[in-house]
């Protein structure tokens, strides 16, 4: 396996953190090599070292974008951890529906990867007994990601059976998907129309995103430094409507990062709620 020098590794780590906020830490050369190897031939280069040098050169915008894309692509699955979707269905959506009688509930999936999270949210809306939550007039879901490649997959909404079997029940496959071939299925249009996807970097200014009632930013903060985590959490707080909800990953917390949330716990799990 090709290797890169410690000096270049450190330079690249600093570059990646500046561009995306992601902190690789020490001794992750293997991850760089595995993620970037396909790009070496794509750009007709001789080595990963040459690819890294070009990526860090501002004149090579396309190379830089492709390298950041490759390094920020993460796996996901349907209805991850279960409880956020149960809380959404049983308590949060019914509560919000009472106050949003003429305006849509707005939900942001802040790192949508290949689309499983925002589509899981849309399916959860369909599983409520509130008809309005099955229309764009009732619910608007925005899925964002830093990766153009992932967003392209999100918009297509087509998944192979390996991906479909990661957290998706047979009943949900039958209800919300259409068979396209022997290898894959497509998310039904009624689900797709609740979700819009857009390119967004969590390090950017959030003003263009607008305000939301619920934000999912799950299993994302673990990749950032404490300073960047605090910045992101406080910007997410700014993006929530009064008393809005924030879902983080099962191992993530706002503790030590901000004092703008109260933690609400029930038998299903934990959600953070913006303070008055």
């Amino acid at each position: 396996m090709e290797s890169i020098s410690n000096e270049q590794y450190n330079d690249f780590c600093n570059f990646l953190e500046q561009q995306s906020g992601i902190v690789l830490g020490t001794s992750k050369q293997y991850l760089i090599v595995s993620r970037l190897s396909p790009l070496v031939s794509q750009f007709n280069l001789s080595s990963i070292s040459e690819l890294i040098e070009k990526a860090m050169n501002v004149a090579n915008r396309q190379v830089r974008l492709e390298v950041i894309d490759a390094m920020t692509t993460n796996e996901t699955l349907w209805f991850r951890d279960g409880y956020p979707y149960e809380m959404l269905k049983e308590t949060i959506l019914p509560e919000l529906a009472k106050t949003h009688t003429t305006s849509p509930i707005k939900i942001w999936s802040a790192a949508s990867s290949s689309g499983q999270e925002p589509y899981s949210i849309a399916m959860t809306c369909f599983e409520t007994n509130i008809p309005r939550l099955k229309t764009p007039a009732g619910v608007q879901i925005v899925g964002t990601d830093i990766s153009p490649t992932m967003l392209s997959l999100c918009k297509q909404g087509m998944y192979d059976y390996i991906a479909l079997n990661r957290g998706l029940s047979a009943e949900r496959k039958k209800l919300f998907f259409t068979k396209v071939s022997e290898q894959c299925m497509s998310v039904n249009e009624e689900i797709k129309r609740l979700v819009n996807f857009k390119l967004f970097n969590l390090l950017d200014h959030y003003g263009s995103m607008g305000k939301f009632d619920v934000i999912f930013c799950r299993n994302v903060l673990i990749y950032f430094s404490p300073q960047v985590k605090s910045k992101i959490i406080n910007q997410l707080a700014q993006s929530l409507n009064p008393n809005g909800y924030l879902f983080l990953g099962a191992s993530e917390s706002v503790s030590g990062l901000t004092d703008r949330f109260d933690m609400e716990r029930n038998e299903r799990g934990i959600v953070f709620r913006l303070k008055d």
Side-chain angles (χ1 to χ4, degrees), residues 223-237:
Y223 297 105
F224 300 122
S225 68
Q227 293 81 5
V228 173
K229 287 179 185 179
S230 180
K231 178 184 176 183
I232 290 173
I233 286 291
N234 281 289
Q235 289 194 107
L236 291 174

Side-chain angles (χ1 to χ4, degrees), residues 119-180:
Y119 284 136
S120 293
I121 295 169
M123 292 177 213
T124 300
C125 293
F126 266 76
E127 290 175 345
T128 70
N129 59 2
I130 307 169
R132 192 164 180 270
L133 300 189
K134 302 175 185 181
T135 70
V139 174
Q140 294 178 3
I141 302 163
V142 177
T144 65
D145 203 87
I146 193 175
S147 167
T149 301
M150 288 295 103
L151 288 174
S152 178
L153 293 174
C154 290
K155 292 172 183 177
Q156 291 173 23
M158 295 206 313
Y159 300 89
D160 63 30
Y161 282 93
I162 295 174
L164 289 167
N165 288 332
R166 299 190 66 202
L168 199 62
S169 67
E171 181 182 11
R172 281 173 170 149
K173 275 186 275 190
K174 183 177 180 181
L175 283 173
F176 301 123
F177 290 80
T178 300
K179 185 176 179 179
V180 176

Side-chain angles (χ1 to χ4, degrees), residues 4-14 16-17 22-32 71 222-223:
I4 59 177
S5 69
N6 289 333
E7 181 181 4
Q8 189 174 50
Y9 176 76
N10 292 332
D11 288 344
F12 183 71
C13 287
N14 291 332
L16 187 64
E17 184 174 1
I22 289 177
V23 179
L24 283 184
T26 58
S27 303
K28 293 288 182 67
Q29 284 91 336
Y30 70 90
L31 182 62
I32 293 175
M71 292 304 303
I222 54 174
Y223 297 105

